[in-house]
Amino acid sequence: SFFRRSRDSSSRTGKIKGGLLLDNRTAIIFIHGFMGCSAQFDELIEMLGTKSVSFHKLVLPGHETDLSGFNKSRSRHWRQYVNESVEEICRSYDRVLIVGHSMGGLLAVNTAVSLPSDSQTRKKIIGIVAVSFPLALKFTFRCLKIRLGAIGKQKKNELAQITAARRFCGVSGINIFNSALLIPNSLG
């Protein structure tokens, strides 16, 4: 289906540092970034070690698919999907924490601020953690090297950032010849 959601749940009870109670009435929603994938949160979820918390890893439309599937989605689809998913998840939990990486952080903030201040959904959102929040985009040679390196074959002694970009890329089938097809989605 065009919209997919991956869900992992834990069965223990506990707290995260700072006294934030996380129990079976708490959900944590994870939103990956542009061309990312839900797997990028697996190690974080494992490290949290929280108990009885429900984890919801959203898969943005067009992600975790091939280039053709990615090009069928646009930023409006991503916003709509996150809005609907947050609304749906908030109906089942008393407290919801949203964690977004890069563009996922932007989508999380956009969803929260677009909700009426008196809505039940907004009242249930206890916080947003925006990791690598993109306040400005800056094109650099290093960025280009990482992106181009990630679509190529793995090389011995390559930069760790290239390996990570390849590992967590949520769009398959990209090569040097078709990478220009990413431009429409890159522009919003």
Side-chain angles (χ1 to χ4, degrees):
S1 130
F2 189 64
F3 299 105
R4 298 183 306 171
R5 184 175 297 112
S6 166
R7 181 179 170 180
D8 294 326
S9 295
S10 174
S11 60
R12 300 164 291 194
T13 351
K15 290 185 176 190
I16 282 185
K17 291 179 184 175
L20 178 62
L21 177 63
L22 298 176
D23 60 15
N24 64 355
R25 300 301 310 148
T26 305
I28 301 177
I29 301 171
F30 294 92
I31 309 168
H32 62 78
F34 182 75
M35 291 182 51
C37 67
S38 61
Q40 71 187 76
F41 298 109
D42 291 347
E43 289 178 37
L44 176 60
I45 290 170
E46 188 177 323
M47 285 182 355
L48 286 172
T50 56
K51 308 161 188 170
S52 294
V53 175
S54 180
F55 299 108
H56 299 264
K57 301 183 304 181
L58 303 187
V59 177
L60 297 174
H63 290 74
E64 295 189 14
T65 184
D66 60 13
L67 184 58
S68 173
F70 181 75
N71 280 331
K72 291 177 186 170
S73 66
R74 293 289 181 261
S75 60
R76 69 180 178 277
H77 299 127
W78 305 331
R79 286 190 304 272
Q80 177 186 355
Y81 174 68
V82 171
N83 290 346
E84 290 172 358
S85 296
V86 169
E87 289 270 357
E88 179 185 328
I89 293 166
C90 281
R91 282 194 285 275
S92 301
Y93 297 91
D94 295 337
R95 291 168 299 283
V96 174
L97 176 66
I98 306 173
V99 178
H101 173 253
S102 191
M103 183 188 73
L106 289 174
L107 291 167
V109 169
N110 180 72
T111 294
V113 300
S114 67
L115 293 166
S117 59
D118 61 345
S119 78
Q120 287 301 321
T121 299
R122 187 164 181 180
K123 291 176 182 178
K124 290 182 176 187
I125 297 173
I126 58 174
I128 295 174
V129 178
V131 180
S132 297
F133 196 71
L135 296 176
L137 297 178
K138 182 179 178 184
F139 181 78
T140 64
F141 177 73
R142 182 175 172 82
C143 175
L144 180 62
K145 181 178 179 179
I146 291 169
R147 281 290 166 203
L148 289 176
I151 62 175
K153 293 187 191 264
Q154 187 166 2
K155 295 179 179 144
K156 191 176 180 179
N157 301 325
E158 70 182 6
L159 292 173
Q161 293 90 338
I162 293 174
T163 304
R166 184 182 300 108
R167 179 177 173 204
F168 295 118
C169 183
V171 182
S172 64
I174 301 170
N175 59 49
I176 193 71
F177 303 107
N178 66 13
S179 59
L181 296 172
L182 296 169
I183 292 172
N185 273 345
S186 299
L187 301 174

